[in-house]
């Protein structure tokens, strides 16, 4: 890339065009003979790229997919790992290595009896997660007994799923709570039976041996509404205890909790997150 930038700074455009052709498609300083950006600007922190540096890698092009409607699940972005597309449970397991026993019908899956928590075969660290769920209609039970499930990042960090439409419980246990830690900023729940969305940006915790170097962070949109804004987790999910961290590998599976209620899920996908300028 340093080579490319040197060419970009050649004063005679014609020479640079020829050299671009020789060094191949990786040269981004010129686009159809058009010079990109600037080469007389200050360096950004880190000293690798200048402000408006035309040689900086172009972001990957993806198909962004489509949003869901109440009746129709959307289409995932083209670079997502699709964990459930409405057809089968091939990306999931339960109880160790047993095949999942959940029902799949009409484009969704539903916790069945006997059930068991669903665990993804793929593992993830930093990621963007999209999933859709619907709590039972008509609703059954009250408090934590109504439409309870949950999505656990790395199998440990739970975002609560609950029917919180006209159903109060302790705030750090309601729908979209970081269970036992933080209530959502607002209750954006839809009615029982209606499809709801979670869009979660998860940063995995970092460990150095037994030491926590940086905590996990969650930014969460519930039905498109921000309910957690880069919130640092206190630790892994607990019940009636203070959360704490226990060191674990850099990647872990997604888990969907079986809490005994027939929750439905559809359109589940994950994008692994990379840094800037990473291909
Ligand atoms: Mg739960």
């Amino acid at each position: 890339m340093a080579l490319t930038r040197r060419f970009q700074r050649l004063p005679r455009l014609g020479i640079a065009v020829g050299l671009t052709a020789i060094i191949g498609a990786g040269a981004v300083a010129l686009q159809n003979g058009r010079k990109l950006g600037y080469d007389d600007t200050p360096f950004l922190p880190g000293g690798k790229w200048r402000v408006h540096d035309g040689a900086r890698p172009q972001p990957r092009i993806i198909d962004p997919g489509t949003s869901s409607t109440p009746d129709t699940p959307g289409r995932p972005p083209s670079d997502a790992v699709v964990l459930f597309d409405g057809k089968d449970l091939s990306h999931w397991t339960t109880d160790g290595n047993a095949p999942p026993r959940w029902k799949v019908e009409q484009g969704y899956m539903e916790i069945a009896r006997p059930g068991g928590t669903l665990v993804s075969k793929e593992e993830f660290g930093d990621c963007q997660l999209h999933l859709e769920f619907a709590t039972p209609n008509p609703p059954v039970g009250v408090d934590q007994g109504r439409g309870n499930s949950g999505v656990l990042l790395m199998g440990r960090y739970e975002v609560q799923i609950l029917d919180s439409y006209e159903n109060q419980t302790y705030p750090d246990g309601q729908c979209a709570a970081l269970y036992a830690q933080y209530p959502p900023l607002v209750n954006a729940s839809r009615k029982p039976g209606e499809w709801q969305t979670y869009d979660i940006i998860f940063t995995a915790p970092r460990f150095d041996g037994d030491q926590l170097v940086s905590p996990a962070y969650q930014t969460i949109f519930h039905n498109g509404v921000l309910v957690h804004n880069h919130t640092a987790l206190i630790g892994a999910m607990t019940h009636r205890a203070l959360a704490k961290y226990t060191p674990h590998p850099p990647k872990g599976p997604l888990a969907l909790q079986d809490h005994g209620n027939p929750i439905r899920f559809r359109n589940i996908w994950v994008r692994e997150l990379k840094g800037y300028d990473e291909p």
Side-chain angles (χ1 to χ4, degrees):
M1 202 47 74
L3 261 182
T4 309
R5 274 193 297 167
R6 213 171 303 143
F7 291 147
Q8 179 192 351
R9 292 181 196 116
L10 285 174
R12 293 183 58 190
L13 201 61
I15 294 171
V17 170
L19 290 172
T20 299
I22 290 166
I23 61 177
V28 293
L30 290 163
Q31 181 83 19
N32 299 325
R34 182 169 58 87
K35 180 170 174 275
L36 297 182
Y38 296 81
D39 56 13
D40 58 354
T41 44
F43 277 102
L44 290 161
K48 194 171 181 189
W49 308 113
R50 292 180 183 274
V51 174
H52 313 313
D53 200 325
R56 192 169 181 167
Q58 297 283 323
R60 285 179 298 120
I61 296 170
I62 68 156
D63 174 346
T66 58
S67 300
S68 296
T69 67
D71 296 329
T72 312
R75 188 166 48 78
S78 58
D79 63 346
V81 177
V82 179
L83 294 179
F84 181 66
D85 63 0
K87 297 193 182 91
D88 62 58
L89 298 176
S90 58
H91 288 265
W92 302 88
T93 183
T94 192
D95 293 344
N97 279 320
R101 296 173 295 250
W102 292 24
K103 280 194 297 199
V104 177
E105 55 188 23
Q106 298 173 46
Y108 61 80
M109 60 179 175
E110 181 179 308
I111 302 173
R113 301 261 71 81
T117 288
L118 223 57
V119 179
S120 69
K121 293 177 181 173
E122 286 99 338
E123 299 196 339
F124 308 97
D126 298 349
C127 65
Q128 173 186 357
L129 164 67
H130 175 89
L131 70 78
E132 303 180 25
F133 63 94
T135 59
N137 185 31
V140 176
V142 296
D143 203 320
Q144 290 286 300
R146 184 184 296 192
N148 195 335
S149 178
V151 51
L152 288 93
L153 284 296
M154 307 191 89
R156 293 171 173 82
Y157 305 104
E158 183 183 15
V159 182
Q160 172 72 316
I161 290 173
L162 194 77
D163 178 356
S164 287
Y165 186 84
E166 298 179 348
N167 174 45
Q168 287 198 334
T169 185
Y170 44 86
D172 70 14
Q174 76 166 65
C175 196
L178 299 169
Y179 190 80
Q181 300 182 32
Y182 296 103
L185 292 167
V186 291
N187 180 351
S189 296
R190 294 194 197 282
K191 292 178 181 176
E194 294 186 1
W195 284 104
Q196 309 194 50
T197 59
Y198 277 166
D199 288 283
I200 297 174
I201 295 107
F202 177 77
T203 304
R206 268 50 171 182
F207 299 95
D208 181 7
D210 286 347
Q211 294 300 309
L212 178 71
V213 176
S214 61
Y217 291 94
Q218 299 244 49
T219 296
I220 302 179
F221 295 86
H222 180 199
N223 296 324
V225 175
L226 184 74
V227 291
H228 298 284
N229 184 5
H230 196 60
T231 300
L233 297 188
I234 300 166
M237 191 270 284
T238 59
H239 177 57
R240 302 186 66 183
L242 183 62
K244 62 180 172 53
Y245 283 98
T246 305
H248 56 74
K251 291 190 176 185
L254 199 69
L256 300 176
Q257 187 183 55
D258 175 6
H259 208 283
N261 303 146
I263 311 299
R264 293 174 179 174
F265 293 90
R266 72 177 189 185
N267 195 24
I268 304 175
W269 50 261
V270 178
R271 295 180 62 247
E272 294 192 76
L273 298 184
K274 298 177 179 177
Y276 293 111
D277 306 314
E278 289 184 36

